[in-house]
Amino acid sequence: MTNWQEERDEKKRKNKESLKEVCATLFNAGITLVEVHYDGYGDSGQIEYLLLFKGDKQLTDEEVASLGLPTSTIQEYNYKSTGDKDRYITKECTLVD
């Protein structure tokens, strides 16, 4: 197997594990449905927003915030960067940010 195939397989494995963790966290918080609204096609696009439900009830932003979902940090590309130093911005987010 070539190096890129091994990297791809490892990334797929890690993504599956991460998805299992996210699903377990949402299940433990009582979430029964997640609607993800995506704008784009192919490999171009972005998630616009998502909605969380408990049964038939859509949760408000305040209700989502009260769930105490775990936070994480991400590295976001800084399009206004003028050099290597500030090319990426570290941001804290939750599962629904």
Side-chain angles (χ1 to χ4, degrees), residues 29-70:
I31 303 302
T32 57
L33 175 68
V34 177
E35 274 186 25
V36 179
H37 293 258
Y38 179 82
D39 183 23
Y41 61 93
D43 62 354
S44 294
Q46 63 189 18
I47 295 173
E48 293 293 323
Y49 61 93
L50 58 89
L51 303 172
L52 301 181
F53 292 82
K54 283 187 174 185
D56 292 335
K57 182 184 183 306
Q58 178 185 330
L59 300 183
T60 65
D61 289 343
E62 293 80 21
E63 291 169 322
V64 171
S66 74
L67 293 174
L69 296 174

Side-chain angles (χ1 to χ4, degrees), residues 72-91:
S72 183
T73 56
I74 60 168
Q75 295 290 313
E76 186 174 274
Y77 188 77
N78 179 9
Y79 291 98
K80 297 177 183 175
S81 172
T82 57
D84 289 339
K85 192 174 186 179
D86 60 347
R87 184 168 289 164
Y88 292 92
I89 302 168
T90 300
K91 287 190 164 186

